[in-house]
């Protein structure tokens, strides 16, 4: 009787399983985009997940080459630098919004001015500040018509700068510089309802279910539609990397943008694993307002007492590079910048520095708190650093993990006990994206580090007309960080770790230093040419 | 007509029900107000703000955003505004899902949570009740032993262990079900089992104990002596007497399922309102958490009222007291 009942339950289970979902079509790309996007409004987008989606839904004057992430012509068919780089002229090709309206130069001008409006509260508004008059307009010191963006006719856009901005063509490819349709502001549910959305990218919004998925379908009005072979994209959102990996294993997705670091060993050697250098650095912040880290010699001692190679080898395992400089070495592959490395692992010199600071053999050192946001991967790294500082400097460290928002709150108010874990991902391929976060007035500084010379070097680089001299100035700034002042100590350079089903994705998918994957180029097994 | 005269002419039962409804409505409002106040001030007491992130907002932008959402007002004033908007039926914008309002999000998520919750409850009652009755009917038999095992396992294994186990076994090894999402009816099965197992165990035990109590009573012995069929005795005479503890438990069962959905939804990647609370709290999305907590409170108050009303309807002694 009991056996019969058990069998019945199993049968019911199997019957329920039999009415499973229909499989996705061969021309549908499915991927795990990790966390839910905060918004699809280009003016508000900042995370990698949002950038992935906006590359599909919108297109700027330029777009990113999938191999190198360098800018290539997109809506602009041609761009010309005039006046020694102080003026850029963009010639727009003939292209249309998904509702058939033509994409005009004034669409771009109005979208950029909208980003600059204070009321829009765009988090990345600073990226537009190199445009003449932009900052003054944002801060209410100049009228709208003084901003150096002009649309003399529907297909020509002219942008003027106070100083040449070598980053600008890259920035044009990404939010917040992609255009939004003039109707966006006035249409309720523009970014949430498929029938309201109007875009100019290779794909358009078809469904948006928060915390589950975003579905996009091919945009027939897109100017290069004949080169887009994917008909439909399903982007899953999940906060759980494990759930994403489960779904990948279960065949629900073709690509997962990240996975738990603890699983590195189990994926090593698998054909599905794809790793490549990523413009992102893991580092430790010093609270320079707190003893003993108010003394730069103690900070340098800590820097020299950490064996980064051991962390990369023993914990991370996926080819992450030990970092002694703040700007990752792969910046050299995408720009003419020569990265600065700080001092290497040298426990003897570290102890000398500690003695010079008045703590021979660590005696007299107060106990130090090392704070990190709760995460299994961070915990292992912080524990390793704790052990190294104990062994090499006789420094007593207490690890404190806090919930993410509490951790950030402590960092912002310099309330952490001495050391704090941090990481930074590049917005664009230029050392400025790293170096400017340690400027004295940057809200991302969070170390209390204020150095007039450093801030002046950054200012000088912004005003520098000669690209070579500009990068040299930035090198001098980085030297201050990692050879002299040590407000932070870099630990390692990230690799972008993705899982890709190579049987499904057969082309157009590359790892690049920005970790973005323009989906326009992706070819699926049976949909490709 | 004069309302007082209408009430005067009513039967005692009708008068009881009117008083019952009025008292319950007043009590519900007080409960909801207390929950609203407690969750509002607790949420604000947590350090960290809704707009902090790995990448800090520029100070000028942060100021604009905080002014827009009145986050710089004194906190009692913020609470007052919240209540004002609540009375107008406006739950506010979501901070984390900036393209949606809280109403939008609840409209999207509630049907999913309701679906897995209802399935879990049906599963718990549909399996737990008959199994408990069968276990009592054949005390110490094979079924009783299996039922005992299920009850212990159901109570001892929490849903955050059971959920991943079900995924591993039924999705990744047997490939019977998808490991997550909610696309087809079949996707309801694993979450409903993970969510309903705890209540199932309780219902099973309550039904078995209630049944055993009743089966030892004189009137059952009498029915047996009269020569009635065992099935008639069990279902027609014993079950109605044994079922009231199960009925009492339905209120707490709903609460357990609602609370369990927070965990189970995240295991199975189901975009229901349970996940809103977890993510909302982590992101300091004050309006979203408030909206869902108040919705949950209203649901529980209503469920408890229904259970009490059923009780009063079944048992005349309650109406008299």
């Amino acid at each position: 009787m009991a056996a019969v009942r058990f069998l019945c339950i199993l049968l019911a289970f199997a019957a329920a399983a039999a009415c499973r979902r229909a499989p996705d079509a061969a021309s549908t790309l499915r991927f795990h985009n990790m966390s839910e996007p905060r918004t699809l409004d280009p003016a508000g987008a900042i995370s990698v997940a949002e950038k992935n989606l906006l590359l599909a839904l919108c297109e700027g004057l330029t777009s990113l080459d999938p191999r190198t992430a360098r800018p290539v012509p997109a809506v602009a068919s041609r761009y010309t630098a005039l006046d020694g780089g102080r003026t850029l002229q963009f010639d727009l090709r003939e292209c249309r919004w998904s509702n058939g309206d033509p994409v005009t130069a004034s669409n771009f001008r109005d979208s950029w001015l909208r980003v600059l409006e204070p009321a829009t509260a765009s988090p990345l508004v600073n990226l537009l500040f190199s445009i003449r008059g932009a900052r003054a307009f944002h801060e209410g010191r100049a009228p709208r018509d003084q901003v150096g963006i002009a649309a003399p006719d529907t297909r020509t856009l002219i942008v003027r700068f106070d100083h040449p901005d070598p980053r600008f063509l890259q920035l044009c490819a990404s939010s917040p510089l992609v255009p939004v349709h003039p109707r966006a502001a006035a249409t309720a549910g523009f970014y949430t309802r498929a029938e309201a959305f109007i875009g100019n990218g290779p794909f358009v919004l078809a469904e948006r279910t928060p915390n589950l998925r975003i579905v996009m379908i091919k945009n027939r009005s897109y100017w290069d539609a004949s080169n887009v072979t994917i008909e439909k994209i399903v982007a899953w959102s999940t906060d759980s990397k494990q759930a994403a990996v489960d779904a990948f294993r279960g065949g629900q997705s073709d690509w997962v943008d990240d996975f738990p670091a603890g699983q590195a060993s189990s994926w090593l050697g698998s054909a599905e694993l794809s790793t490549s250098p990523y413009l992102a650095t893991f580092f430790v912040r010093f609270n320079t307002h707190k003893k003993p880290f108010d003394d730069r010699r103690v900070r340098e001692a800590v820097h020299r007492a950490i064996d980064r190679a051991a962390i990369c080898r023993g914990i991370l395992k996926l080819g992450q590079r030990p970092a002694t400089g703040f700007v990752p070495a792969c910046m050299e592959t995408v720009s003419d910048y020569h990265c600065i490395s700080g001092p290497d692992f040298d426990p003897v010199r570290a102890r000398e520095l500690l003695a010079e600071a008045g703590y021979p053999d660590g005696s007299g050192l107060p106990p130090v708190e090392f704070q990190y946001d709760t995460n299994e991967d961070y915990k292992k790294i912080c524990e390793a650093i704790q052990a190294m500082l104990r062994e090499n400097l006789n420094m007593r460290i207490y690890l404190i993990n806090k919930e993410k928002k509490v951790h950030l709150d402590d960092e912002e108010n310099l309330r952490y006990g001495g050391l704090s874990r941090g990481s930074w991902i590049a917005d664009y391929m230029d050392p400025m994206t790293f170096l400017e976060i340690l400027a004295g007035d940057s809200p991302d500084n969070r170390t209390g580090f204020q150095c007039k010379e450093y801030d002046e070097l950054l200012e000088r680089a912004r005003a520098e007309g000669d690209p070579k001299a500009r990068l040299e100035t930035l090198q001098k700034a980085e030297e201050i960080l990692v050879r002299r002042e040590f407000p932070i100590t870099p630990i390692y350079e990230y690799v972008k770790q993705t899982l890709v089903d190579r049987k499904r994705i057969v082309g157009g998918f590359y790892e690049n230093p920005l970790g973005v994957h323009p989906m326009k180029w992706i070819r699926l097994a049976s949909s490709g040419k | 007509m004069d309302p007082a005269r209408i009430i005067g002419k009513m039967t005692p039962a009708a008068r009881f029900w009117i008083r019952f409804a009025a008292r319950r409505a007043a009590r519900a409002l007080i409960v909801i107000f207390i929950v609203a106040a407690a969750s509002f001030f607790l949420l604000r007491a947590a350090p960290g703000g809704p707009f902090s992130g790995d990448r800090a907002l520029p100070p000028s932008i942060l100021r604009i955003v905080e002014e827009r959402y009145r986050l710089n007002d004194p906190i009692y004033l913020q609470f007052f505004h919240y209540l004002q908007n609540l009375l107008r039926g406006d739950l506010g914008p979501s901070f984390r899902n900036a393209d949606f309002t809280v109403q939008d999000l609840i409209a999207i998520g509630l049907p999913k949570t309701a679906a897995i919750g209802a399935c879990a409850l049906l599963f718990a009652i549909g399996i737990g009740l008959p199994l408990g009755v069968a276990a009592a009917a054949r005390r110490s038999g094979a079924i009783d032993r299996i039922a005992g095992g299920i009850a212990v396992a159901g109570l001892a294994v929490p849903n955050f262990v059971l959920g991943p186990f079900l995924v591993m076994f039924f999705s990744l090894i047997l490939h019977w079900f998808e490991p997550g999402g909610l696309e087809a009816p079949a996707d309801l099965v694993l979450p409903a089992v993970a969510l309903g197992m705890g209540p199932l165990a309780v219902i099973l035990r309550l039904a078995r104990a209630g049944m055993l109590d009743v089966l030892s009573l004189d009137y059952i012995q009498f029915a047996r002596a009269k020569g009635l069929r065992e099935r008639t005795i069990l279902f027609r005479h014993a079950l109605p007497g044994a079922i009231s503890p199960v009925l009492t438990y339905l209120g707490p069962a709903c609460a357990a399922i609602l609370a369990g959905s927070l965990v189970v939804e995240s295991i199975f990647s189901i975009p229901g309102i349970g996940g809103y609370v977890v993510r909302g709290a982590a992101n300091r999305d004050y309006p979203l958490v408030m909206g869902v907590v108040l919705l949950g409170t209203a649901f529980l108050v209503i469920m408890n009222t229904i259970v009490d009303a059923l009780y009063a309807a079944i048992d005349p002694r309650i109406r008299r007291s």
Side-chain angles (χ1 to χ4, degrees):
Chain A
M1 172 82 179
V4 172
R5 197 176 285 251
F6 182 67
L7 215 69
C8 284
I9 294 176
L10 265 186
L11 272 178
F13 248 57
C19 54
R20 284 191 299 180
R21 1 177 149 152
D24 292 304
S27 56
T28 301
L29 171 73
R30 302 128 342 134
F31 76 104
H32 269 79
N33 196 26
M34 294 307 150
S35 63
E36 171 74 12
R38 214 181 81 80
T39 175
L40 290 184
D41 179 352
I46 35 177
S47 73
V48 177
E50 286 152 3
K51 286 177 184 168
N52 274 336
L53 297 167
L54 286 173
L55 279 175
L57 293 171
C58 312
E59 188 171 80
L61 295 169
T62 61
S63 69
L64 299 178
D65 182 297
R67 281 173 225 258
T68 59
R70 283 181 198 267
V72 290
V75 173
S77 55
R78 209 157 57 101
Y79 24 81
T80 329
L82 307 164
D83 185 21
R86 282 187 183 77
T87 302
L88 279 176
Q89 177 177 329
F90 294 91
D91 298 318
L92 275 58
R93 71 177 82 235
E94 192 180 341
C95 50
R96 296 188 175 276
W97 295 93
S98 54
N99 71 342
D101 294 349
V103 177
T104 63
S106 54
N107 289 156
F108 279 90
R109 184 197 57 207
D110 296 344
S111 301
W112 294 2
L113 288 170
R114 172 175 166 265
V115 172
L116 287 168
E117 294 271 4
T120 308
S122 173
L124 291 180
V125 64
N126 301 5
L127 295 184
L128 278 75
F129 281 175
S130 60
I131 299 172
R132 182 174 297 167
R135 182 170 201 155
F137 168 60
H138 174 70
E139 288 168 357
R141 293 183 282 110
R144 198 181 158 92
D145 53 18
Q146 303 234 323
V147 182
I149 312 168
D153 63 67
T154 55
R155 304 260 293 275
T156 311
L157 187 76
I158 293 173
V159 188
R160 294 196 171 79
F161 304 89
D162 287 327
H163 314 287
D165 182 357
R167 313 163 306 162
F168 198 76
L169 288 177
Q170 279 186 51
L171 297 181
C172 280
S174 65
S175 60
L177 279 89
V178 295
V180 291
H181 192 273
R183 233 180 279 160
T187 311
F190 187 84
Y191 295 108
T192 58
R193 290 186 303 120
E195 60 280 14
F197 181 83
I198 305 168
N200 75 327
F203 300 92
V204 283
L205 189 67
E207 180 202 319
R208 183 153 183 214
T209 309
N211 305 314
L212 179 70
R213 65 178 184 184
I214 288 172
V215 180
M216 297 171 281
I217 52 172
K218 184 170 167 178
N219 176 7
R220 306 274 162 205
S221 312
Y222 178 59
W223 65 271
D224 200 16
S226 59
N227 278 321
V228 180
T229 57
I230 293 175
E231 289 293 328
K232 185 174 161 190
I233 299 173
V234 181
W236 302 104
S237 325
T238 172
D239 291 334
S240 155
K241 293 180 187 175
Q242 186 56 51
V245 171
D246 287 347
F248 180 77
R249 285 205 173 111
Q252 253 184 42
S253 79
D254 304 320
W255 131 48
V256 178
D257 218 30
D258 196 5
F259 57 87
Q263 297 181 1
S265 316
S266 64
W267 288 106
L268 265 181
S270 132
E272 286 148 336
L273 175 70
S274 164
T275 58
S276 70
Y278 186 30
L279 280 174
T281 308
F282 185 103
F283 59 94
V284 175
R285 286 185 167 90
F286 293 104
N287 185 342
T288 61
H289 287 187
K290 225 169 177 146
K291 271 203 179 314
F293 300 118
D294 53 349
D295 187 327
R296 61 153 296 279
R297 289 169 297 191
V298 181
R299 303 199 292 265
E300 186 178 345
V302 168
H303 176 95
R304 286 176 184 271
I306 298 171
D307 184 359
R308 295 164 179 79
I311 293 175
C312 292
R313 240 186 359 253
I315 300 174
L316 302 164
K317 296 181 186 160
L318 289 178
Q320 286 88 345
R321 281 174 53 113
T324 55
F326 188 32
V327 179
C330 66
M331 189 66 86
E332 292 183 350
T333 65
V334 292
S335 72
D336 297 326
Y337 187 71
H338 292 293
C339 291
I340 302 292
S341 28
D344 285 329
F345 175 53
D346 182 356
V348 177
R349 177 70 190 128
R351 273 191 294 272
E352 284 171 20
L353 280 159
L354 203 60
E356 283 169 27
Y359 307 106
D361 273 332
S363 64
L365 270 176
V368 168
E369 286 176 2
F370 186 178
Q371 186 168 315
Y372 64 98
D373 40 333
T374 310
N375 176 312
E376 276 309 304
D377 301 340
Y378 301 157
K379 186 177 172 210
K380 287 183 200 147
I381 298 166
C382 294
E383 280 171 352
I385 295 173
Q386 176 191 36
M388 288 168 189
L389 296 183
R390 164 104 223 179
E391 191 182 320
N392 298 330
L393 298 180
N394 215 2
M395 191 179 266
R396 262 178 309 146
I397 307 243
Y398 297 96
L399 289 184
I400 296 189
N401 71 310
K402 291 203 175 174
E403 190 237 19
K404 177 125 192 166
K405 288 276 186 181
V406 182
H407 175 70
L408 290 169
D409 194 50
D410 286 351
E411 273 196 341
E412 275 160 27
N413 298 298
L414 281 185
R415 261 200 310 263
Y416 59 97
L419 301 171
S420 169
R421 179 216 80 85
S423 44
W424 193 255
I425 304 173
D427 284 324
Y428 46 87
M429 299 189 296
D430 185 273
M432 188 63 104
T433 186
F434 285 92
L435 299 177
E436 69 184 357
I437 75 163
L438 284 157
D441 62 352
S442 160
D444 295 306
N445 180 312
R446 305 175 190 178
T447 58
F449 166 69
Q450 292 266 3
C451 174
K452 210 163 157 242
E453 190 187 344
Y454 184 78
D455 294 354
E456 279 169 4
L457 282 168
L458 293 187
E459 250 348 284
R460 201 182 334 143
R462 286 193 187 101
E464 178 59 65
D466 173 31
K468 190 157 169 273
R470 174 178 173 275
L471 291 179
E472 281 166 10
T473 312
L474 290 175
Q475 278 180 317
K476 282 190 196 124
E478 193 181 4
E479 270 180 24
I480 296 181
L481 291 188
V482 299
R483 288 195 185 156
R484 215 176 82 194
E485 290 297 332
F486 302 96
I488 57 159
T489 177
I491 304 297
Y492 71 90
E493 295 166 11
Y494 279 77
V495 295
K496 181 79 182 170
Q497 49 190 55
T498 41
L499 300 175
V500 189
D501 183 348
R502 296 284 178 187
K503 287 194 204 81
R504 288 264 305 155
I505 297 184
V506 292
F509 186 96
Y510 307 95
E511 295 297 349
N512 55 52
L514 285 180
V516 291
H517 304 285
M519 283 167 271
K520 170 183 169 181
W521 306 104
I522 293 180
R523 298 284 179 268
L524 293 173
S526 54
S527 72
K529 294 180 189 173
Chain B
M1 242 205 278
D2 181 13
R5 277 182 57 196
I6 302 176
I7 293 173
K9 275 189 187 165
M10 279 178 173
T11 59
R15 241 180 288 160
F16 166 81
W17 285 115
I18 285 183
R19 230 181 305 133
F20 178 87
R23 241 192 346 240
R24 281 319 180 96
R27 214 189 281 174
L29 281 181
I30 294 171
V31 168
I32 289 176
F33 177 80
I34 292 174
V35 170
S39 32
F40 189 90
F41 291 107
L42 273 176
L43 271 172
R44 299 305 167 104
F51 301 107
S52 60
D54 281 325
R55 183 187 303 271
L57 288 183
S60 60
I61 300 294
L62 185 63
R63 209 169 35 245
I64 295 164
V65 175
E66 286 183 340
E67 266 164 29
R68 179 171 306 159
Y69 298 117
R70 297 170 168 275
L71 292 173
N72 293 327
D73 288 358
I75 185 147
Y76 64 90
L77 213 61
Q78 292 183 41
F79 183 55
F80 179 70
H81 281 298
Y82 184 80
L83 289 182
Q84 241 180 356
N85 290 336
L86 186 65
L87 288 178
R88 259 189 266 127
D90 178 9
L91 294 173
S94 163
F95 293 158
R96 175 63 177 76
N97 300 86
D99 297 335
F100 296 89
T101 65
V102 173
Q103 273 107 317
D104 291 338
L105 289 173
I106 288 178
I108 294 167
L110 185 60
K112 299 177 173 95
T113 303
I116 58 165
C119 287
L121 198 61
L122 279 179
F123 168 73
I125 298 172
I127 308 261
L129 194 62
L131 208 55
V133 171
R138 300 250 200 301
R139 195 173 176 184
S140 307
I143 294 185
D144 194 16
R145 260 176 270 142
I146 291 175
I150 291 177
V152 171
L155 288 177
V157 181
N159 47 26
F160 57 84
V161 175
L162 182 60
F165 170 78
L166 291 174
V167 170
M168 199 184 73
F169 193 70
F170 289 103
S171 319
L172 301 183
I173 298 178
L174 290 180
H175 296 287
W176 284 10
F177 296 98
E178 302 289 344
L182 195 53
E183 301 292 304
D187 295 342
L188 284 167
V189 174
L190 295 186
V193 170
L195 199 51
M197 209 58 199
L200 181 147
V202 178
I203 289 174
L204 195 161
R205 287 165 57 119
L206 288 174
R208 179 178 176 274
M211 212 54 188
L212 284 178
D213 276 352
V214 172
L215 285 178
S216 66
L217 292 181
D218 290 347
Y219 79 94
I220 300 292
Q221 302 298 330
F222 181 73
R224 284 219 173 95
K226 224 174 102 181
L228 288 183
R229 283 194 313 168
E230 192 63 22
R231 184 171 298 175
T232 317
I233 297 175
L234 273 182
F235 290 99
R236 184 157 322 148
H237 299 287
L239 191 57
I243 209 170
S244 63
V246 176
L247 201 60
T248 320
Y249 172 67
L250 286 186
C254 288
I257 285 175
L258 194 66
S261 69
L262 305 191
V263 179
V264 169
E265 284 181 8
S266 90
I267 294 171
F268 292 95
S269 311
I270 290 168
I273 57 171
Y276 293 166
V277 181
V278 179
R279 269 187 295 266
N283 291 312
R284 309 289 188 268
D285 193 342
Y286 308 135
L288 182 59
V289 178
M290 288 295 292
V292 178
V293 165
L294 290 181
L295 184 75
T297 312
F299 169 71
L300 285 185
V301 166
I302 290 170
M303 283 314 288
N304 278 322
T305 309
I306 291 175
V307 169
D308 287 354
L310 278 177
Y311 240 59
I314 292 171
D315 192 340
R317 282 171 304 179
I318 293 177
R319 287 206 296 268
R320 259 180 254 124
S321 62

